[in-house]
Amino acid sequence: MNSNLSKVYTVHFETLGCRLNQIESEGGASFFEKEGFSINMEPFTSKTSLKDDIVLSVINTCTVTSKAEQKARRLIRLLLKITPNACVLVTGCYAELDQKIISAISDKIFVLPGSKKSLLSEIPAILKVFLQKNIDFQSKRIFLLVVLFQNIYLFGLSQSMFQFLLNFPPPLFLKL
């Protein structure tokens, strides 16, 4: 693990569905690990204790059946409950089909459609810069992470552009 982060932050991955989703989740986890994040891939259940050290929960979804969609929504709600200091990034087939339904569950959710899953590789480096700035206001951190991910998705925000925005006096998007 390349620990350029002064504090070790944890990213949690959950995978629903096929073997391809499992392989993609493992690949996504490796991007975060290369940037110094600790990875948790142990599935959470309703008996899992609160995990307040997790900064991001990623769920790779499936949509083979309506049961799969229901299971994904249940897991999303569980992650929101167990990881109160994290935003939840939902990707995969279900995220491709029902982005509005998923986004409506909570403002702590960012939906990355399965067709844009390759953008997941850009998030770790940008998230690392964000966390290194020691932004302490926890209640706004989750909102800012969601905004950050939306900018990556919508505008292809690069790490250098994000660094520029963070250093531009005053950081406009930090004034909430």
Side-chain angles (χ1 to χ4, degrees):
M1 177 168 45
N2 174 14
S3 188
N4 291 340
L5 293 171
S6 57
K7 176 182 175 186
V8 177
Y9 294 96
T10 303
V11 176
H12 176 73
F13 278 81
E14 291 272 354
T15 305
L16 300 174
C18 65
R19 182 71 187 135
L20 177 61
N21 275 10
Q22 186 65 43
I23 291 167
E24 288 175 343
S25 292
E26 290 169 4
S30 72
F31 296 130
F32 284 92
E33 196 168 41
K34 286 176 187 168
E35 290 295 333
F37 290 89
S38 173
I39 305 300
N40 178 326
M41 294 190 81
E42 184 177 322
F44 289 165
T45 68
S46 59
K47 296 181 182 190
T48 302
S49 62
L50 199 67
K51 304 287 185 190
D52 59 3
D53 62 323
I54 293 174
V55 295
L56 176 64
S57 289
V58 178
I59 176 172
N60 195 356
T61 62
C62 176
T63 186
V64 173
T65 65
S66 60
K67 285 272 192 199
E69 294 170 10
Q70 182 181 24
K71 185 176 181 178
R73 286 190 303 274
R74 186 172 38 248
L75 182 56
I76 291 165
R77 288 185 183 95
L78 180 68
L79 291 174
L80 289 166
K81 179 180 174 185
I82 292 175
T83 61
N85 297 331
C87 71
V88 177
L89 189 150
V90 182
T91 192
C93 301
Y94 182 48
E96 185 76 36
L97 295 177
D98 283 334
Q99 189 170 357
K100 288 182 182 179
I101 291 171
I102 297 167
S103 295
I105 295 171
S106 170
D107 61 356
K108 291 172 53 175
I109 294 173
F110 170 65
V111 180
L112 184 64
S115 62
K116 303 286 186 184
K117 202 182 294 185
S118 64
L119 292 174
L120 190 60
S121 66
E122 297 177 32
I123 292 174
I126 294 172
L127 181 58
K128 181 169 118 177
V129 170
F130 179 81
L131 293 170
Q132 285 174 331
K133 290 295 180 176
N134 294 321
I135 299 170
D136 294 325
F137 38 96
Q138 191 60 45
S139 63
K140 292 182 181 178
R141 177 184 283 168
I142 294 167
F143 173 76
L144 289 171
L145 286 174
V146 171
V147 168
L148 167 64
F149 297 149
Q150 287 171 337
N151 280 302
I152 293 169
Y153 170 60
L154 295 173
F155 306 112
L157 184 65
S158 67
Q159 183 176 2
S160 59
M161 177 57 89
F162 178 68
Q163 185 70 45
F164 170 77
L165 289 174
L166 260 183
N167 292 323
F168 188 79
L172 299 176
F173 67 95
L174 297 180
K175 294 175 92 176
L176 300 176

